Amino acid sequence: MVPQGLVLITSIAFALAAVRLTRRRVLLQELYAVEGLARVDILCCDKTGTITDGDITFDAFHEVHAPPVGSQSAMVVLGLFAHDPNANSTATALRSAFDHIPVPVSASVAFSSVRKWSAITVGRDTWVFGAPDIVLDSSQAHALARSRAMEFAEDGLRTLALAVSVGGTATESTLPDNLRPVALVTFSEKVREDARETLEYFHEQGVDIRIISGDNPATVAAVARRAGLEVGDAIDARTLPTDIDELAEILESHRVFGRVTPEQKKHMMAALQSRGHVVAMVGDGVNDALALKHADLGIAMGSGSAATKAVSNLILLDGRFSSLPGVVDEGRKVIANIERLSRLFLTKTVWAMILAAVFGALLISFPFAPRQLSAIDSFTIGVPSFLLALLPNARRYHPGFLRRALMFCVPAGVITAGSVLTVDFMIRADGTWALAESQTAIALLLGMTGLWVLTMLSFPPSTARLGILAGMIVMAGGVFLVPPIADFFGFAILSPAQFLPVALAGLIANALVTLVSRAVDLRNGQPSLR
């Protein structure tokens, strides 16, 4: 009665999926992530390193105002930011354009993805380098610089502002007073060549995309459009509510979010999950680690940080965004095939439980021997389940696996058990059947119903599925008709008069099982196994 084979098949299918994913240069860190691959319906991506190739290139230096008299030049200061050992990847991109001139730095504030700026103090001047919409205020003195920064952002350029405060002091939580914009520095990022194709694949498969980034919303939106994503209005995360229901409502209706902090990314995962979504998060930076950890499926790029890889469920070792469709297909194949095979195993579980209860309650002998049941299982469940588990199957996962399985397996098991009880009681009432003949009749009936369930699982037909079905029919013929094999299992050759009621009972049972299958398909609004 225990479908231990289903447990074995599931474990083997997951393990083989892990091996196949490794061949695709994908490292699966947790086996259950295979299921998550099939169930994902929203994919959240960071921009840098995911939609773009991760290489940030210096574009241009745009002077807004000359620095105050007596200050170091903007070029020297940018060289200091570029060659700071704690500089982020954007500042590091400056090294190709700005030389390091050793100038005494009396104080510094390291860059933070939450703060989005860094600062150094040279002499009396404190220089700040960071996001224009944070470094520059809304005053008239900063209006020109803010306007130009927005223009660059709308063109898809990452833009940072360099500002100076004479006599001001920066702390880790506050900017210096009286900042004066000096220059804007723009950087370019290349959209991955495979990004458009990959995003189109997810759209066709019914998987929604959300781009969440710490960059300016206008920049993120421009890059998303270049990748072929329908953007709509880009949302500045600083305006997002903290209430999870309100946040979920906004996430349902918008696709692109900028200025998102690591903590907000985590809350976004929770908000989407609260609406019943299965969420995958793709990222490569430390600022993505919280979101990766709290997503249903965390996917790290191979070029990502150690922290990001440590909390992810799988790693794209080659860092190719285009690997994701194949990864999702692999997960769907495994889960769809396991659902297909559950009909074989659980139908048998239902009728075995019913027969055990009835014959146990009536205190009469079981209608077949254990080794005969093993023979039937071999060609109706055992061998075909191993083969079917490996076949391609890109059907999208739909919630309700257990409900769909029981909707078919319980009625089909009851029908099978009813046909067995009917034929067995008829044989017992007749009183002329030998033990081997009665056991053969029941085994034949179970074999017919088992092969018919296997036949329905072979649709839509393919060469592989039909080949497996034909092989199992031949195997069944060998079990019942080849003398050495039939003798080993205790099967006898039935006369036409004995075979006719068994065949009739099998046809009626199979017709009823077919009706059950069609009813399940109609109830689900679609073919449940296609």
Side-chain angles (χ1 to χ4, degrees):
M1 292 184 291
V2 179
Q4 71 270 25
L6 185 59
V7 179
L8 176 63
I9 289 294
T10 301
S11 301
I12 291 175
F14 276 26
L16 289 176
V19 172
R20 285 192 292 263
L21 287 172
T22 301
R23 291 173 180 167
R24 294 175 180 265
R25 301 286 295 159
V26 176
L27 176 62
L28 199 68
Q29 303 208 101
E30 294 172 328
L31 200 58
Y32 72 82
V34 172
E35 180 187 359
L37 294 172
R39 298 171 56 227
V40 165
D41 63 348
I42 287 190
L43 179 69
C44 296
C45 303
D46 185 27
K47 174 182 70 68
T48 305
T50 304
I51 302 300
T52 65
D53 60 11
D55 292 332
I56 301 170
T57 305
F58 170 74
D59 174 65
F61 171 85
H62 310 270
E63 187 174 65
V64 179
H65 297 291
V69 176
S71 297
Q72 292 290 341
S73 73
M75 301 293 184
V76 172
V77 172
L78 287 173
L80 295 175
F81 279 111
H83 292 83
D84 184 343
N86 298 315
N88 66 343
S89 57
T90 306
T92 302
L94 294 171
R95 293 179 183 177
S96 61
F98 298 94
D99 295 328
H100 180 220
I101 298 175
V103 175
V105 175
S106 57
S108 66
V109 177
F111 177 81
S112 163
S113 58
V114 175
R115 213 173 30 243
K116 301 194 181 304
W117 55 265
S118 56
I120 58 174
T121 300
V122 179
R124 297 180 59 249
D125 302 327
T126 296
W127 294 83
V128 178
F129 189 49
D133 49 335
I134 294 175
V135 172
L136 306 178
D137 59 33
S138 57
S139 66
Q140 187 63 34
H142 293 182
L144 174 62
R146 288 175 65 92
S147 174
R148 293 187 65 187
M150 181 56 68
E151 292 175 2
F152 295 139
E154 290 173 350
D155 289 337
L157 294 171
R158 177 178 288 197
T159 307
L160 295 181
L162 178 67
V164 63
S165 171
V166 179
T169 302
T171 69
E172 291 191 354
S173 57
T174 59
L175 288 166
D177 296 328
N178 302 317
L179 276 172
R180 169 179 172 161
V182 174
L184 296 174
V185 183
T186 53
F187 304 84
S188 62
E189 296 178 83
K190 182 181 178 182
V191 174
R192 289 180 182 271
E193 295 179 357
D194 53 11
R196 180 181 292 271
E197 180 182 352
T198 303
L199 294 178
E200 286 177 354
Y201 165 85
F202 284 114
H203 177 71
E204 293 168 359
Q205 295 296 315
V207 178
D208 267 347
I209 303 295
R210 299 291 182 274
I211 309 296
I212 53 179
S213 172
D215 288 347
N216 187 297
T219 304
V220 182
V223 171
R225 290 189 188 96
R226 282 159 50 195
L229 188 68
E230 294 182 8
V231 173
D233 294 330
I235 301 297
D236 189 324
R238 290 170 295 183
T239 66
L240 291 176
T242 55
D243 180 79
I244 195 165
D245 290 329
E246 294 178 8
L247 178 59
E249 193 66 35
I250 295 173
L251 285 165
E252 291 276 15
S253 57
H254 294 81
R255 289 184 169 182
V256 174
F257 300 83
R259 293 293 179 237
V260 187
T261 66
E263 192 70 22
Q264 282 181 312
K265 290 183 180 181
K266 183 188 79 171
H267 291 319
M268 286 179 167
M269 301 301 106
L272 289 169
Q273 290 163 344
S274 72
R275 293 298 179 95
H277 293 295
V278 179
V279 187
M281 173 69 194
V282 186
D284 67 338
V286 174
N287 58 336
D288 299 318
L290 273 176
L292 288 167
K293 183 176 178 62
H294 288 84
D296 295 288
L297 185 68
I299 303 173
M301 306 300 280
S303 58
S305 66
T308 303
K309 295 177 184 178
V311 300
S312 64
N313 302 110
L314 60 88
I315 303 171
L316 304 180
L317 295 175
D318 57 6
R320 292 174 55 201
F321 191 47
S322 59
S323 297
L324 282 178
V327 170
V328 173
D329 281 345
E330 191 65 50
R332 288 182 175 180
K333 178 174 74 173
V334 170
I335 301 304
N337 282 339
I338 290 173
E339 180 170 350
R340 179 187 296 273
L341 296 176
S342 70
R343 289 194 171 190
L344 290 176
F345 287 96
L346 298 181
T347 299
K348 182 241 176 149
T349 294
V350 173
W351 64 249
M353 291 175 65
I354 294 173
L355 294 182
V358 171
F359 288 106
L362 296 177
L363 299 178
I364 57 178
S365 60
F366 219 63
F368 47 79
R371 62 179 173 176
Q372 292 170 337
L373 181 59
S374 297
I376 299 165
D377 281 350
S378 65
F379 61 79
T380 60
I381 301 177
V383 175
S385 65
F386 273 96
L387 300 175
L388 288 171
L390 306 179
L391 295 183
N393 193 331
R395 182 180 69 89
R396 182 186 170 193
Y397 173 85
H398 297 277
F401 169 91
L402 183 60
R403 176 183 58 81
R404 287 194 300 272
L406 294 181
M407 283 175 64
F408 173 84
C409 297
V410 172
V414 170
I415 292 168
T416 302
S419 64
V420 169
L421 291 171
T422 300
V423 171
D424 183 69
F425 290 156
M426 179 197 71
I427 291 173
R428 292 176 192 270
D430 183 89
T432 62
W433 292 60
L435 178 61
E437 291 171 342
S438 66
Q439 290 180 335
T440 301
I442 299 300
L444 271 172
L445 180 57
L446 290 173
M448 290 175 63
T449 56
L451 285 174
W452 185 246
V453 172
L454 181 61
T455 300
M456 289 189 291
L457 297 185
S458 298
F459 284 87
S462 67
T463 301
R465 289 174 186 160
L466 294 179
I468 292 171
L469 177 61
M472 295 308 101
I473 293 174
V474 171
M475 185 175 175
V479 167
F480 285 104
L481 300 176
V482 176
I485 301 175
D487 292 343
F488 175 80
F489 288 108
F491 293 136
I493 302 298
L494 301 182
S495 67
Q498 292 172 322
F499 178 74
L500 184 60
V502 176
L504 181 60
L507 289 174
I508 294 173
N510 290 344
L512 293 174
V513 170
T514 302
L515 291 176
V516 168
S517 179
R518 295 292 177 263
V520 171
D521 288 350
L522 290 174
R523 176 68 181 273
N524 292 324
Q526 60 181 355
S528 58
L529 294 173
R530 292 172 176 79

